[in-house]
């Protein structure tokens, strides 16, 4: 199979994996708290990456470990907990749609804090994306009939955290292998995640079948949705381009939306409009 066909297969697999991450978080929350879901996600991903990528840690210099630690905070630690907390009140499909704001926030932070160049069309894309986000926020959660402003903002905070992470890596770790960065991130976070988990009531309810099922879902999320997906993503970048690889952003909400439908989640017409507007904004900001 030639590279042209293979890259499309990789893109499709990544879309399915990452688009399924949000429903896995939701299933994890059935028997676990949001803090437990976030902690287990980090722990399982860390254990997997240490097994497959331990040797890559040798490539990280003493100077680079500082930035690896900082990016672990913004790129993994905060989003893992913010997404889980948000999904206690917001539909998984809506969270997936809001996750598409990451490229826009990356552009905005890059312009403001890192001095990257931009085009007028990209600025237009940012404003269009913000309009779509506001439509989603103001429409509230259709499943409960309430307006969970604060919980939606947690998702936006997570995308901002991702954006900070991307810009930091581009500026300070651009010469370091991506597998080394990812493995280093989770190696640093393994102990804090274990400590946080130990402060919860996991020991009292781990023998419940519901809790065990939830842990299984989060294990799949950590190993497949973080560990294996990152390896595939790095290979996709190598065989294609960053522009092609990041086009997975457009496909993730589609997969998550269909998972939501299967789990009895529905979008109101205004929410559907907001989702469409966000994707237009992402397209404008990312298009060459």
């Amino acid at each position: 199979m030639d590279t042209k066909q293979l890259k499309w297969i990789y893109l499709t697999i990544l879309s399915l994996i990452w688009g399924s991450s949000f429903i896995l978080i939701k299933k994890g929350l059935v028997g676990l708290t949001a803090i437990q879901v976030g902690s287990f996600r980090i722990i399982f991903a860390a254990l997997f990456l240490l097994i497959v990528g331990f040797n890559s840690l040798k490539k990280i210099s003493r100077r680079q470990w500082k930035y690896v630690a900082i990016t672990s905070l913004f790129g993994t630690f905060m989003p893992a907990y913010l997404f889980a907390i948000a999904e206690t009140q917001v539909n998984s499909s809506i969270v997936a749609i809001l996750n598409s704001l990451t490229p826009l926030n990356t552009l905005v932070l890059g312009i403001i804090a890192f001095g990257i160049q931009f085009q007028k069309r990209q600025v237009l894309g940012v404003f269009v994306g913000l309009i779509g986000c506001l439509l989603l926020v103001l429409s509230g959660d259709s499943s409960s009939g309430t307006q969970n402003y604060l919980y939606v903002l947690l998702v936006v905070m997570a995308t901002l955290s991702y954006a900070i992470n991307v810009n930091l890596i581009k500026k300070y770790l651009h010469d370091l292998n991506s597998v080394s960065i990812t493995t280093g991130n989770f190696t640093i976070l393994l102990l804090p995640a274990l400590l946080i988990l130990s402060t919860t009531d996991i020991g009292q309810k781990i023998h419940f079948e519901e809790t065990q099922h939830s842990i299984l879902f989060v294990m799949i999320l950590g190993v497949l949705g973080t560990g294996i997906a990152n390896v595939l993503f790095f290979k996709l970048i190598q065989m294609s381009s960053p522009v092609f690889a990041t086009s997975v952003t457009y496909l993730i909400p589609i997969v998550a939306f269909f998972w939501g439908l299967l789990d009895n989640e529905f979008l109101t017409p205004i929410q559907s409009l907001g989702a469409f507007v966000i994707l237009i904004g992402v397209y404008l900001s990312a298009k060459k």
Side-chain angles (χ1 to χ4, degrees), residues 153-172:
L153 290 176
L154 291 178
V155 184
V156 177
M157 287 172 60
T159 64
L160 283 169
S161 185
Y162 278 144
I164 294 171
N165 176 61
V166 170
N167 280 293
L168 286 172
I169 289 175
K170 184 174 182 179
K171 184 168 184 178
Y172 298 108

Side-chain angles (χ1 to χ4, degrees), residues 93-94 96-101 104 125-140 253 257 267-282:
S93 52
I94 294 178
I97 293 165
L98 287 168
N99 182 58
S100 297
L101 289 171
L104 279 72
V126 170
F127 281 108
V128 171
L130 288 176
I131 292 172
C133 180
L134 286 174
L135 285 173
L136 274 181
V137 172
L138 296 176
S139 62
F257 173 72
L267 299 181
T268 65
I270 295 179
Q271 288 173 330
S272 299
L273 176 62
F276 182 68
V277 171
I278 285 175
L279 293 179
I280 292 176
V282 173

Side-chain angles (χ1 to χ4, degrees), residues 40-41 44-45 213-225:
F40 271 124
R41 181 180 184 179
F44 286 127
H213 286 165
S214 292
I215 292 174
L216 178 61
F217 283 120
V218 180
M219 182 177 69
I220 296 172
L221 173 66
V223 174
L224 186 64

Side-chain angles (χ1 to χ4, degrees), residues 61-89:
S61 67
R62 184 177 299 180
R63 178 190 63 84
Q64 290 172 323
W65 271 110
K66 175 177 66 175
Y67 297 109
V68 170
I70 295 173
T71 56
S72 71
L73 173 65
F74 290 106
T76 300
F77 187 80
M78 291 175 61
Y81 292 104
L82 288 173
F83 277 122
I85 296 171
E87 284 202 34
T88 62
Q89 298 294 324

Side-chain angles (χ1 to χ4, degrees), residues 55-258:
N55 289 333
S56 67
L57 295 176
K58 299 176 184 177
K59 299 179 181 178
I60 306 175
S61 67
R62 184 177 299 180
R63 178 190 63 84
Q64 290 172 323
W65 271 110
K66 175 177 66 175
Y67 297 109
V68 170
I70 295 173
T71 56
S72 71
L73 173 65
F74 290 106
T76 300
F77 187 80
M78 291 175 61
Y81 292 104
L82 288 173
F83 277 122
I85 296 171
E87 284 202 34
T88 62
Q89 298 294 324
V90 183
N91 279 345
S92 63
S93 52
I94 294 178
V95 173
I97 293 165
L98 287 168
N99 182 58
S100 297
L101 289 171
T102 300
L104 279 72
N105 289 333
T106 302
L107 175 65
V108 172
L109 284 173
I111 294 170
I112 296 174
F114 295 90
I116 68 168
Q117 296 181 346
F118 62 94
Q119 299 175 1
K120 292 181 180 179
R121 171 185 39 75
Q122 292 176 309
V123 176
L124 175 63
V126 170
F127 281 108
V128 171
L130 288 176
I131 292 172
C133 180
L134 286 174
L135 285 173
L136 274 181
V137 172
L138 296 176
S139 62
D141 186 349
S142 61
S143 65
S144 63
T146 60
Q147 296 181 333
N148 299 299
Y149 296 104
L150 294 178
Y151 290 92
V152 169
L153 290 176
L154 291 178
V155 184
V156 177
M157 287 172 60
T159 64
L160 283 169
S161 185
Y162 278 144
I164 294 171
N165 176 61
V166 170
N167 280 293
L168 286 172
I169 289 175
K170 184 174 182 179
K171 184 168 184 178
Y172 298 108
L173 297 173
H174 61 277
D175 56 344
L176 183 62
N177 183 281
S178 298
V179 177
S180 299
I181 297 173
T182 307
T183 306
N185 285 164
F186 282 94
T187 300
I188 290 172
L189 295 179
L190 179 57
L191 181 58
L194 286 169
L195 290 174
I196 292 173
L197 182 64
S198 68
T199 64
T200 68
D201 63 345
I202 188 62
Q204 301 172 18
K205 62 182 183 182
I206 197 168
H207 60 280
F208 294 139
E209 186 176 352
E210 185 179 66
T211 302
Q212 293 171 359
H213 286 165
S214 292
I215 292 174
L216 178 61
F217 283 120
V218 180
M219 182 177 69
I220 296 172
L221 173 66
V223 174
L224 186 64
T226 302
I228 295 177
N230 277 335
V231 174
L232 292 176
F233 187 62
F234 301 149
K235 288 186 177 180
L236 180 60
I237 293 174
Q238 291 173 345
M239 70 173 59
S240 59
S241 69
V243 174
F244 181 84
T246 54
S247 62
V248 70
T249 305
Y250 310 122
L251 303 177
I252 290 174
I254 297 173
V255 176
F257 173 72
F258 282 108

